Amino acid sequence: MTRRWVTCGTPTIPGILNPMTAACDRGFVPDTIHILSNPPVMEYVEETRGLMAEVIAAYGGDAETEVHELTHETDFTSIVDFYRTQVEQSADDDEVAIDVTPGRKFMSAIAFQAGIQFGADHVYYFHRKSGGYYGQFYPEIPRTATDLIDFTEVL
């Protein structure tokens, strides 16, 4: 079984890293990471890749990371195809988690719909209950101030 983490880039590194760290904390330690990127966020995605590897190693894992780059951030067809491919190319015993936290609102909306429609095992959203922790990393935020919501359990 392979655990696949599927997310997209954003200019705030905690926005990419915190949801995955929270998932690791809950026991979902990815074996592969797939990040959808586009030119304005590529430098942040590259910086985050190393941090993701460190987090996964801290939880006893070792993940391969693949970055899938869009030419334009509004290439909606390619965004849908990215999420569909991540779910459909997984083996029957794989576990796929789509993170809808980072990215532009339209990317989160597409990720959410694709995760539900194409049958992802988890559709995660990292909720900071207080704006006072914006830009901080998961270990710095009190657990009572965050919640990792899995929409596959809510819907």
Side-chain angles (χ1 to χ4, degrees), residues 4-40:
R4 299 166 68 102
W5 185 260
V6 184
T7 191
C8 70
T10 191
T12 58
I13 292 171
I16 303 170
L17 195 60
N18 286 349
M20 190 201 72
T21 307
C24 287
D25 211 31
R26 275 197 180 175
F28 186 93
V29 180
D31 301 301
T32 62
I33 300 168
H34 302 271
I35 307 170
L36 183 62
S37 185
N38 60 74

Side-chain angles (χ1 to χ4, degrees), residues 3 5 17 46 52 59 65 73 78 87 107 110 114 116 120 123 135 137-139 149:
R3 289 183 166 174
W5 185 260
L17 195 60
E46 286 304 317
M52 291 175 123
Y59 284 92
T65 304
E73 72 175 352
S78 292
V87 175
M107 286 191 179
I110 292 170
I116 299 299
V123 177
F137 290 96
Y138 182 77
I149 300 162

